Amino acid sequence: MRWLTVFLGIASRELLRFTHQRERFFAALVRPLVWLFIFAAGFRAVLGLSITPPYQTYVLYEVYIVPGLCGMIQLFNGMQSSLSMVYDRETGAMRTLLVSPFPRWFLLGSKLVAGVLVSVIQVYAFLAVAWFWDVRPPAMGYLSVLPALMLSGIMLGSLGLLISSTIRQLENFAGVMNFVIFPMFFASTALYPLWRMRDASPLLHDICAFNPFSHAVELIRFALYLKLEPVALAVVLGCTAIFFGATVFMYNPEKGLWRRR
Amino acid sequence: MSALRVEHVSHRFGRVPALEDVSFDVPKGSFTALLGVNGAGKTTLFSLITRLYDSTSGRIEVAGFDIRRQPRDALARLGVVFQSRALDLDLTLRQNLRYHAALHGIARPDARIDRVLAMVGLSDRLGAKARTLSGGQQRRAEIARALIHEPSLLLLDEAAAGLDARSRQDVLAIVRGLGAQGVSALWATHVFDEIAPDDPVVILHKGRVLAHRPAGNDLTAEFLEMTCAG
């Protein structure tokens, strides 16, 4: 019961902060909408797509990129959480969290899941707008995608936490944009299917195939159409374990980040 | 049993020594000052007591609980006011205090919130956003936050830094008053005016304890003499 109280306390703080930062919500929503309304509309005529699972027929490019844009929201949200962790560490807020008597892995995990809940709200808001843009997955898909969103959000949030533990100053965060977010997003299946990548470059295809973000996107894509992609699920779970395990190590009082400072 | 016992604690950041063989204790219900110039090692010592990281060697006990071996018991008895701001400025005072109560597993904190806000004289600001509080009020709110789980020891790292004289006196009066309720305080500072002659004082300089005794009437001169020699 006390553990639940801690989790609910951390989650409600994240949600309260989110509701107090309306501009953050709109920024998170506008980014994928710009891609959907402008980029996808422009490239629809240029980029032909063959029938690739989970789709059973030819789909418009807008339909194809929506799961990738859901992943994009979660990727940015994970990095936003990472940014706020660095900021919290520079102020006293992070210390206040870590001096709670509860285990550090549980505190970090609660903060992670709380951040994912915020990103899931943003994804559903985006899917609602996309519905009006004629991107309409099966009605049950909106439900079946929830676990996929939670899992992919936790993986990306874990990566964000891990990155936050390696960044010493807020100013270094611009590097995260250049070296993590952009390569992860563009070298993935968010915008193009893998077979198109192979046509362009076998090396790029291999990079995309190994990119954990590709697997997060495919997990979301399949779940949205009521299917399960087992390889994507395994990769997402495995990467989550690695990223979160490394984060707990870095925040461990006996080793890692704080001890070096 | 002491509220805090620090025994032969040393800590290094890589090859750089931050603390060397630091030992002292904080008696139950006392107001003990930890005096040292900037860079003396006060914040490092607080980080070790709160187990942000473990010391290279030595032992720290809070209310008899070893911070390394029994961290849950030790941290549950510890309240901390950090040097840097820890309130969430976008949240109200009530929301901030609820959050911190939750971090200690307290499910229904409203009665406690009323009590600690009354202790620091902020009952009328319960619904105010932290951003709208003055510097002194924010510090008092931080003390209320640190007291919400009824700790037996309060650590305050330069808690009066940046406050005007009146606010500083208010904060000091609140912290000194806690002793009557059995709450000990370790007050880290580099300001001599914040220490009364009867207060036990631990003088920390370049990571070493130079003295641990009542402050006396001539603390400033003695401190300068000790630190110039050290």
Side-chain angles (χ1 to χ4, degrees):
Chain A
M1 185 61 192
R2 296 187 72 204
W3 294 62
L4 181 65
T5 302
V6 177
F7 170 71
L8 291 177
I10 293 173
S12 30
R13 177 181 182 250
E14 289 297 315
L15 290 170
L16 277 170
R17 280 168 63 92
F18 177 64
T19 54
H20 282 110
Q21 297 171 347
R22 289 190 192 90
E23 65 280 5
R24 182 178 153 195
F25 174 73
F26 287 114
L29 201 55
V30 163
R31 196 179 298 118
L33 288 178
V34 165
W35 280 85
L36 181 66
F37 294 161
I38 301 172
F39 181 88
F43 280 76
R44 178 203 285 186
V46 184
L47 297 169
L49 294 174
S50 68
I51 301 173
T52 48
Y55 308 109
Q56 293 171 333
T57 179
Y58 285 100
V59 291
L60 290 175
Y61 187 62
E62 288 94 320
V63 174
Y64 178 81
I65 68 164
V66 159
L69 297 179
C70 294
M72 178 204 226
I73 293 171
Q74 296 201 294
L75 178 64
F76 272 86
N77 195 77
M79 298 309 133
Q80 173 93 30
S81 300
S82 156
L83 179 67
S84 78
M85 289 284 273
V86 177
Y87 177 77
D88 281 358
R89 211 172 61 218
E90 287 196 349
T91 66
M94 184 70 176
R95 287 165 180 251
T96 316
L97 175 74
L98 296 181
V99 298
S100 158
F102 287 82
R104 206 161 279 189
W105 64 264
F106 175 71
L107 298 168
L108 291 168
S110 297
K111 191 160 172 60
L112 172 64
V113 173
V116 173
L117 291 175
V118 168
S119 81
V120 168
I121 294 171
Q122 293 169 347
V123 169
Y124 274 106
F126 167 69
L127 286 174
V129 178
W131 189 86
F132 289 103
W133 203 248
D134 275 343
V135 180
R136 297 177 179 180
M140 284 304 290
Y142 290 100
L143 196 59
S144 62
V145 79
L146 181 59
L149 290 174
M150 289 300 295
L151 285 177
S152 55
I154 288 171
M155 183 192 80
L156 295 168
S158 299
L159 177 63
L161 276 180
L162 180 58
I163 290 169
S164 78
S165 70
T166 62
I167 295 176
R168 298 205 173 194
Q169 289 171 319
L170 209 53
E171 292 75 19
N172 297 347
F173 200 78
V176 174
M177 294 292 288
N178 291 329
F179 293 105
V180 179
I181 296 182
F182 292 149
M184 268 193 109
F185 180 66
F186 287 111
S188 76
T189 57
L191 299 178
Y192 325 99
L194 267 181
W195 66 265
R196 267 206 167 272
M197 297 291 186
R198 191 184 289 117
D199 289 351
S201 153
L203 176 64
L204 188 57
H205 166 272
D206 293 344
I207 291 171
C208 291
F210 278 106
N211 182 353
F213 184 66
S214 291
H215 295 278
V217 169
E218 292 312 304
L219 190 66
I220 295 169
R221 187 189 311 284
F222 276 71
L224 202 52
Y225 290 87
L226 304 169
K227 292 196 168 87
L228 176 67
E229 219 293 282
V231 175
L233 177 64
V235 171
V236 168
L237 288 174
C239 287
T240 301
I242 292 168
F243 296 153
F244 189 66
T247 302
V248 171
F249 175 85
M250 292 298 281
Y251 280 93
N252 186 327
E254 293 173 21
K255 36 188 106 65
L257 159 82
W258 296 89
R259 200 176 165 85
R260 291 200 313 264
R261 291 171 77 82
Chain B
M1 189 205 311
S2 301
L4 172 69
R5 183 181 291 271
V6 177
E7 289 180 334
H8 306 296
V9 166
S10 297
H11 191 71
R12 290 174 170 271
F13 292 110
R15 289 184 175 183
V16 182
L19 293 173
E20 289 199 57
D21 199 26
V22 170
S23 295
F24 67 92
D25 65 342
V26 174
K28 238 180 180 177
S30 77
F31 176 96
T32 299
L34 178 66
L35 179 65
V37 295
N38 294 333
K42 304 188 295 291
T43 300
T44 300
L45 182 60
F46 271 34
S47 297
L48 297 176
I49 297 171
T50 54
R51 214 192 175 217
L52 282 177
Y53 41 82
D54 285 338
S55 59
T56 312
S57 63
R59 179 182 166 92
I60 296 170
E61 282 181 9
V62 177
F65 295 102
D66 188 317
I67 189 72
R68 197 186 293 222
R69 292 182 183 172
Q70 300 155 290
R72 284 195 67 177
D73 291 315
L75 290 173
R77 286 156 181 84
L78 198 60
V80 194
V81 177
F82 288 108
Q83 192 174 355
S84 47
R85 173 182 63 78
L87 290 177
D88 196 322
L89 297 181
D90 289 326
L91 303 187
T92 65
L93 201 43
R94 184 203 299 271
Q95 288 166 339
N96 267 291
L97 293 176
R98 278 187 174 162
Y99 168 63
H100 291 285
L103 288 181
H104 285 269
I106 300 163
R108 292 183 186 80
D110 287 354
R112 287 177 189 240
I113 290 174
D114 291 342
R115 191 172 55 76
V116 291
L117 283 183
M119 283 169 70
V120 300
L122 286 176
S123 298
D124 56 332
R125 304 306 310 271
L126 185 62
K129 278 199 175 178
R131 188 180 299 283
T132 65
L133 303 178
S134 68
Q137 288 174 328
Q138 285 189 12
R139 268 310 184 193
R140 284 189 274 151
E142 299 252 19
I143 293 170
R145 176 191 59 72
L147 291 172
I148 194 110
H149 58 290
E150 298 175 349
S152 55
L153 172 66
L154 194 60
L155 302 180
L156 303 104
D157 192 2
E158 311 225 352
L163 299 184
D164 60 50
R166 173 70 192 272
S167 299
R168 186 157 30 128
Q169 289 310 315
D170 289 347
V171 168
L172 266 167
I174 290 165
V175 176
R176 286 180 185 281
L178 294 172
Q181 298 163 52
V183 181
S184 317
L186 180 61
W187 176 273
T189 185
H190 58 264
V191 181
F192 298 95
D193 293 352
E194 294 170 5
I195 304 169
D198 295 338
D199 291 335
V201 62
V202 177
I203 297 177
L204 192 66
H205 186 64
K206 293 183 180 173
R208 291 173 178 273
V209 173
L210 298 186
H212 180 199
R213 56 172 175 71
N217 289 315
D218 209 10
L219 182 62
T220 309
E222 290 174 33
F223 178 84
L224 290 173
E225 193 179 319
M226 271 189 266
T227 53
C228 287

